């Protein structure tokens, strides 16, 4: 197991980040010709270098962007029905969401997988599941995008074999595989192996697809999850391009000619509520990538064109007044279109609450159709060109992103910046700063900390997956598969894959791992077995969550409620001779750590002693750490419905092994319908999206004081009118 948690003094790191922080590009109330005087590329055209105004000459006037619907849930059969309905409803391509065990290379029957199977995406254990997923969907006609990184080898192998058995040759397949593992080490955390062997998987996949799938995009370099984790638009842009350049260097180092693959590199950006900045970001991205690719001396103009998919923000969606989210998604979708995206997914209004319902998914899909069919927006190529404001903003965005890329180069490159923890701290700082501004009321969110709905709670239908039914079905299919396959052929294929993983030949001469994974998938080796064969050679990567203090303190240093609560915590610490001690953890296979990182830093600033464990903890892991560190409370962050199983198990396990009560708190995307069940199972508090930090910290502190029998003055009362942080 690899531990990259030793990244220096967090407080010192925070101070350095604050000193070197790049502020958001400011907007002025009035722009004039003086703002564009001397700026480059003023006379450039769409489809011409540096592609500032769009990668294609006619853009949407001849071909609109591709409407995609990112979805996957429950079993392959249910997801297949959803895809076919979406295709009938106007979607142009399929975008597959896999469940967390699949991302992490576990079959559904693995002991660490049970609570997450089928919840945040579709469960895929084998070729048989993949064939069901695309049943009656012609893979030679429909473009398929797959968000997969850690388990890219078995998933891509199963996809290729499923297509073969549908009668579709590899050279007819169109679509994109994300295959962006560096991003996983930065934010999303659905990695499996350490960094270097993971890069080998990425380049082997790029090489195999370049040689055998000429219409398929071999990698989609993603900034989306960085912005969702808290990165500003310019930081998202810089890190995405820095990662992309690293992949090109690795692919060229493996013997690929840049012109053989660079034209099929795809990018993936988030589009948030910062309307003008998001348009400028996409325009700046094309200009910057044109320049950065020059390092590799491409001969084809197509190699230097940045093409991108975009997705509206999930983080900007709110649990409160959820129909406001339709407006937010529409605004974000228009920014993506004005910025010149090549394909787009629009999020559903209920994604801050649960998986999208059929009702909300249809609205999200129709949002794009209305923009495309009713507004006449697509009739003009780059309508913002020549705007004093937009041209100025684009160049400022490009300049700031380039400044960050140069700083990464000074650190020794993007891999060194990741391994040192610099990138994670940079994003964590941005996330904490944004959240603290919302909590303090400096940034407004309608329906959350301003213009709050008063009256009856808005009821919204949500999709609820019966995890036990999905799990039982997957277990039965796995059992049947293993009874009927040729086990000797499976063992031989997995042995060849493990041997190749240990091969020390140079990159050009060693066996291609995707080719070997396809051979294994053909004989019905499972996703988990293929992943395990590689894990035996390389080990499994994990990382301890880091606390980044100091950001909330800056924003709240004059806030009376914050100061009174901090004083009460200091008095408690004097009485007990130790501060209130809380363990913050993630359970199951959910690696999204934005919320828990923000909360950890804020509680630390208030005077709590905050203990964090490794990601992907089991109930037993959390219990063991809680008892060994003698914590006073436990906080669990959840963004998947696995909380319905894991949280009651944790409460019961703590009661069984601890002689005194340890209050357990839960935060994140927890449907209100689940609250009663969690409370009946012993949870002390639930903090959904929109819970202010001061409120959640007060509840935790009161529970600790009560459980320890410590008497002191009550913390100051708080009002539930400020912003959007949760564990």
């Amino acid at each position: 197991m690899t531990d990259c948690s030793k990244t220096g003094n967090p407080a010192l790191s925070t101070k350095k980040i604050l000193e070197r922080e790049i502020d958001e590009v400011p907007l002025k109330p009035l722009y004039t010709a003086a703002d564009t005087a001397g700026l480059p590329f003023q006379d450039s055209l769409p489809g011409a270098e540096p592609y500032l105004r769009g990668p294609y000459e006619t853009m949407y006037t001849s071909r609109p962007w591709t409407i995609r619907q990112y979805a996957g849930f429950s079993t392959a059969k249910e997801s297949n029905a959803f895809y076919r309905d979406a295709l009938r409803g106007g979607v142009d391509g399929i975008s597959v969401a896999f469940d967390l065990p699949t991302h992490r290379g576990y079959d559904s029957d693995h002991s660490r997988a049970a609570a997450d199977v089928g919840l945040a995406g579709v469960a895929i254990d084998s070729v048989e599941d993949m064939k069901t997923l695309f049943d009656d969907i012609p893979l030679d006609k429909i473009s398929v995008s797959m968000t997969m990184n850690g388990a890219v080898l078995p998933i891509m192998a199963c996809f290729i074999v499923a297509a073969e058995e549908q009668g579709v040759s590899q050279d007819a397949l169109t679509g994109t595989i994300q295959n962006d593992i560096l991003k996983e080490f930065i934010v999303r955390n659905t990695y499996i192996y350490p960094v270097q062997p993971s890069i080998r998987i990425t380049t082997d996949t790029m090489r195999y697809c370049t040689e055998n799938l000429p219409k398929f995009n071999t990698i989609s370099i993603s900034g989306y999850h960085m912005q969702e984790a808290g990165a500003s638009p310019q930081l998202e842009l810089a890190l995405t391009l820095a990662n992309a350049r690293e992949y090109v260097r690795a692919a060229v180092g493996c013997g690929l000619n840049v012109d053989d693959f660079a034209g099929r590199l795809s990018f993936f950006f988030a589009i948030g509520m910062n309307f003008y900045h998001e348009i400028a970001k996409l325009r700046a991205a094309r200009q910057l990538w044109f320049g950065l690719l020059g390092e590799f001396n491409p001969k084809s103009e197509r190699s230097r064109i940045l093409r991108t998919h975009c997705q509206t923000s999930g983080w900007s969606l709110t649990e409160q007044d959820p129909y406001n989210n339709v407006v937010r998604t529409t605004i974000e979708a228009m920014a993506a279109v004005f910025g010149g995206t090549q394909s787009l997914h629009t999020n559903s209004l209920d994604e801050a609450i649960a998986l999208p319902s059929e009702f909300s998914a249809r609205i999200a899909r129709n949002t794009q159709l209305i923009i495309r069919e009713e507004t006449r927006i697509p009739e003009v190529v780059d309508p913002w060109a020549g705007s004093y404001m937009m041209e100025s903003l684009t160049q400022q965005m490009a300049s700031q992103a380039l400044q960050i890329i140069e700083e990464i180069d000074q650190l020794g490159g993007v891999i060194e910046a990741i391994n040192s923890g610099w990138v994670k701290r940079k994003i964590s700082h941005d996330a904490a700063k944004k959240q603290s501004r919302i909590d303090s009321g400096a940034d407004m969110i309608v329906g959350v900390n301003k213009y709050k709905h008063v009256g009856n709670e808005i009821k919204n239908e949500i999709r609820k997956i019966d995890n036990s039914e999905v799990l039982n079905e997957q277990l039965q299919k796995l059992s049947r598969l293993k009874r009927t396959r040729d086990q000797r052929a499976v063992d031989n294929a997995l042995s060849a894959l493990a041997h190749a993983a240990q091969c020390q030949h140079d990159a050009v001469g060693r066996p291609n791992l995707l080719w070997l994974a396809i051979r294994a998938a053909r004989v019905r080796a499972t996703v988990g077995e293929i992943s395990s064969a590689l894990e035996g050679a390389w080990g499994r990567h994990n990382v301890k969550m880091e606390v980044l203090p100091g950001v909330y303190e800056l924003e709240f240093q004059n806030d009376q409620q914050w100061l009174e609560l901090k004083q009460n915590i200091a008095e408690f610490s004097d009485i007990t001779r130790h501060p209130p001690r809380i363990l913050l953890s993630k359970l199951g296979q959910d690696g999204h750590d934005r919320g828990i990182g923000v909360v950890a830093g804020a509680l630390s600033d208030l005077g709590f002693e905050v203990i964090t464990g490794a990601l992907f903890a089991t109930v037993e892991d959390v219990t063991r750490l809680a008892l060994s560190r003698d914590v006073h409370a436990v906080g669990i962050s959840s963004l998947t419905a696995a909380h319905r199983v894991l949280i009651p198990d944790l409460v019961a396990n703590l009661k069984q092994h601890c002689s005194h009560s340890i209050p357990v708190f839960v935060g994140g995307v927890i449907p209100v319908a689940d609250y009663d069940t969690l409370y009946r199972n012993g949870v002390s508090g639930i903090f959904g999206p929109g819970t202010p930090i001061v409120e959640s910290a007060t509840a935790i502190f009161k529970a600790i004081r009560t459980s320890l029998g410590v008497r002191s003055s009550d913390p100051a009362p708080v009002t539930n009118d400020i912003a959007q942080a949760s564990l």
Side-chain angles (χ1 to χ4, degrees):
M1 179 178 290
T2 304
D3 183 358
C4 296
S5 60
K6 296 178 176 63
T7 54
N9 184 326
L12 180 61
S13 302
T14 305
K15 184 174 184 293
K16 288 182 178 178
I17 288 172
L18 293 174
E19 288 172 351
R20 305 184 70 175
E21 179 184 353
I22 293 178
D23 290 328
E24 182 179 274
V25 180
L27 291 174
K28 302 195 303 181
L30 177 66
Y31 288 80
T32 67
D35 292 289
T36 58
L39 291 182
F41 314 122
Q42 292 297 291
D43 297 324
S44 65
L45 293 172
E49 59 182 54
Y51 306 104
L52 171 73
R53 297 190 57 192
Y56 305 118
E57 184 177 326
T58 55
M59 289 299 288
Y60 308 143
T61 63
S62 60
R63 181 183 176 183
W65 66 94
T66 299
I67 298 177
R68 292 194 183 275
Q69 189 131 31
Y70 178 59
F73 50 85
S74 185
T75 62
K77 185 177 180 180
E78 286 198 50
S79 292
N80 171 263
F82 181 91
Y83 295 150
R84 287 194 287 172
D85 180 66
L87 289 167
R88 287 190 295 269
V91 164
D92 304 313
I94 293 169
S95 187
V96 182
F98 297 95
D99 74 354
L100 293 171
T102 303
H103 274 289
R104 298 270 293 144
Y106 294 125
D107 286 335
S108 298
D109 59 1
H110 195 282
S111 60
R112 286 182 172 267
D116 287 297
V117 171
L119 290 180
V122 60
I124 298 293
D125 291 326
S126 71
V127 170
E128 296 303 318
D129 287 331
M130 195 70 82
K131 288 171 67 176
T132 301
L133 187 66
F134 296 112
D135 185 37
D136 282 340
I137 296 174
L139 293 176
D140 56 344
K141 295 181 174 64
I142 298 298
S143 171
V144 175
S145 173
M146 293 182 286
T147 300
M148 176 53 64
N149 301 285
V152 67
L153 287 178
I155 287 299
M156 196 66 193
C158 288
F159 174 71
I160 289 170
V161 174
E164 288 175 351
E165 297 185 8
Q166 194 186 90
V168 179
S169 63
Q170 295 183 28
D171 60 3
L173 293 171
T174 60
T176 303
I177 184 73
Q178 192 164 94
N179 194 27
D180 176 13
I181 199 63
L182 288 177
K183 171 258 300 178
E184 301 299 325
F185 292 103
I186 294 173
V187 286
R188 192 161 170 256
N189 300 315
T190 57
Y191 43 68
I192 302 175
Y193 318 107
V195 176
Q196 288 303 333
S198 296
I199 291 289
R200 177 182 170 186
I201 289 174
T202 296
T203 54
D204 275 16
T205 301
M206 292 175 70
R207 181 165 192 160
Y208 183 91
C209 292
T210 296
E211 295 170 352
N212 297 280
L213 283 73
K215 299 178 182 178
F216 205 87
N217 296 322
T218 59
I219 187 170
S220 176
I221 306 97
S222 173
Y224 181 86
H225 304 91
M226 297 176 196
Q227 186 175 142
E228 288 291 281
S232 64
Q234 59 267 43
L235 181 58
E236 175 201 9
L237 174 57
L239 292 173
T240 305
L241 297 184
N243 283 352
R245 186 181 57 175
E246 191 67 31
Y247 291 130
V248 174
R249 287 172 176 169
V252 170
C254 288
L256 286 174
N257 183 297
V258 66
D259 287 319
D260 289 341
F261 69 88
R264 287 185 294 117
L265 296 178
S266 174
F267 289 78
F268 176 24
F269 288 105
I271 304 295
M273 286 296 288
N274 206 331
F275 185 74
Y276 298 130
H277 288 76
E278 296 294 3
I279 299 170
K281 179 183 74 182
L282 296 184
R283 301 175 88 246
R286 291 188 291 269
Q287 173 187 319
L288 287 173
W289 185 240
F290 175 83
L292 291 171
L293 239 284
E295 171 188 332
F296 305 97
N297 299 311
K299 302 297 186 292
S300 169
E301 289 186 13
R302 188 168 182 264
S303 296
R304 300 178 74 167
I305 297 175
L306 182 146
R307 297 161 304 114
T308 190
H309 169 72
C310 290
Q311 181 173 337
T312 60
S313 175
W315 183 83
S316 69
L317 305 179
T318 65
E319 180 183 38
Q320 299 86 346
D321 265 4
Y323 288 105
N324 290 347
N325 294 333
V326 177
V327 181
R328 294 185 177 103
T329 296
T330 302
I331 291 168
E332 291 166 351
M334 290 180 66
V337 170
F338 281 137
T341 189
Q342 277 58 71
S343 70
L344 178 62
H345 166 81
T346 33
N347 284 342
S348 299
L349 67 95
D350 50 2
E351 290 188 43
I353 305 167
L355 288 170
S357 65
E358 291 182 13
F359 168 77
S360 66
R362 187 173 70 253
I363 291 175
R365 182 168 66 241
N366 288 345
T367 297
Q368 291 198 56
L369 290 170
I370 290 168
I371 294 172
R372 191 174 78 178
E373 305 295 341
E374 298 185 24
T375 64
R376 303 187 71 177
I377 287 174
E379 294 182 14
V380 178
V381 179
D382 190 21
W384 286 89
S387 158
Y388 297 144
M389 180 274 297
M390 186 55 65
E391 298 295 1
S392 173
L393 196 60
T394 297
Q395 296 309 320
Q396 289 180 73
M397 185 72 70
S399 175
Q400 289 199 359
L402 196 58
Q403 183 180 338
I404 297 170
I405 291 172
E406 289 170 353
E407 189 172 355
I408 290 170
D409 288 343
Q410 291 169 9
L411 292 168
V414 71
I415 292 178
E416 285 301 315
I418 292 170
N419 286 338
S420 71
W422 180 89
V423 174
K424 240 183 191 333
R425 287 194 295 272
K426 196 84 169 173
I427 293 175
S428 296
H429 168 261
D430 277 7
K433 181 180 178 182
K434 176 64 176 176
Q435 193 62 61
S436 66
R437 286 184 58 81
I438 295 171
D439 276 10
S440 69
D443 289 350
M444 298 300 176
I445 298 180
V446 173
V448 175
N449 63 355
K450 195 171 186 180
Y451 310 117
K452 294 173 63 176
H453 174 73
V454 179
N456 295 329
E457 181 183 340
I458 297 174
K459 301 291 184 183
N460 199 50
E461 171 198 356
I462 63 171
R463 186 187 298 275
K464 195 167 185 177
I465 305 296
D466 187 337
N467 170 257
S468 61
E469 287 187 9
V470 179
L471 179 60
N472 184 55
E473 182 173 337
Q474 292 301 114
L475 295 181
Q476 289 180 23
K477 287 192 290 185
L478 276 168
S479 177
R480 184 166 55 249
L481 176 77
K482 293 177 180 179
R483 287 197 312 268
T484 57
R485 68 188 183 180
D486 182 344
Q487 189 60 44
R488 177 176 293 184
V490 171
D491 292 341
N492 289 339
L494 293 174
S495 177
L497 188 62
H499 178 74
Q502 295 170 332
C503 179
Q504 298 300 313
H505 292 299
D506 63 59
V508 176
R510 65 194 177 202
N512 187 284
L513 295 176
L514 179 53
W515 173 68
L516 291 167
I518 292 169
R519 291 178 59 192
R522 284 191 181 120
V523 296
R524 291 328 191 244
T526 66
V527 169
E529 289 170 335
I530 293 172
S531 300
S532 182
L534 298 170
E535 184 180 344
W538 298 331
R540 185 171 278 265
H541 180 82
N542 208 346
V543 63
K544 185 177 181 293
M545 291 178 288
E546 183 179 323
V547 179
L548 186 71
V551 180
Y552 257 80
E553 183 69 18
L554 286 176
E555 190 67 35
F556 277 80
Q557 56 187 325
N558 297 316
D559 183 271
Q560 191 60 36
Q561 293 178 345
W562 173 275
L563 294 173
E564 289 180 7
L565 177 57
K566 188 172 183 178
Q567 177 61 36
N568 286 324
I569 291 171
E571 291 175 3
F572 171 96
S573 301
D574 289 341
I575 294 170
T576 61
R577 298 186 179 180
H578 55 70
R581 191 158 47 247
I582 184 168
L583 167 63
L584 298 181
S585 189
K586 302 279 295 184
L587 280 173
Q589 297 307 306
D590 171 27
H592 293 88
D593 57 358
R594 172 182 180 149
I596 198 169
V598 168
V599 172
L603 293 181
S604 178
D605 287 353
L606 279 166
F608 285 81
E609 179 183 349
V610 179
I611 298 162
T612 58
L615 290 170
F616 314 115
T618 64
V619 166
E620 292 73 23
D621 292 335
V622 174
T623 301
R624 193 179 307 114
L625 185 56
L627 298 182
S628 68
R629 298 298 298 271
D630 190 25
V631 301
H632 305 134
V634 173
I636 302 295
S637 168
S638 177
L639 291 183
T640 71
H643 61 266
R644 294 198 295 263
V645 173
L646 294 173
I647 300 300
D649 286 354
L650 174 64
V651 174
N653 211 44
L654 286 170
K655 286 181 178 178
Q656 180 182 347
H657 292 94
C658 186
S659 58
H660 61 280
S661 173
I662 299 179
V664 174
F665 296 89
V666 189
V669 179
I670 312 291
V672 174
D674 292 343
Y675 280 25
D676 286 345
T677 300
L678 292 175
Y679 282 129
R680 284 198 305 270
N681 279 278
V683 168
S684 297
I686 302 170
F687 309 128
T691 306
I693 282 288
V694 175
E695 180 178 308
S696 56
T698 299
I700 293 167
F701 177 56
K702 283 184 175 181
I704 290 174
R705 199 188 62 215
T706 300
S707 68
L708 296 180
V710 176
R711 294 180 178 275
S712 65
S713 58
D714 287 333
V718 296
T719 57
N720 188 16
D721 62 351
I722 307 179
Q724 163 139 340
S726 60
L727 281 173

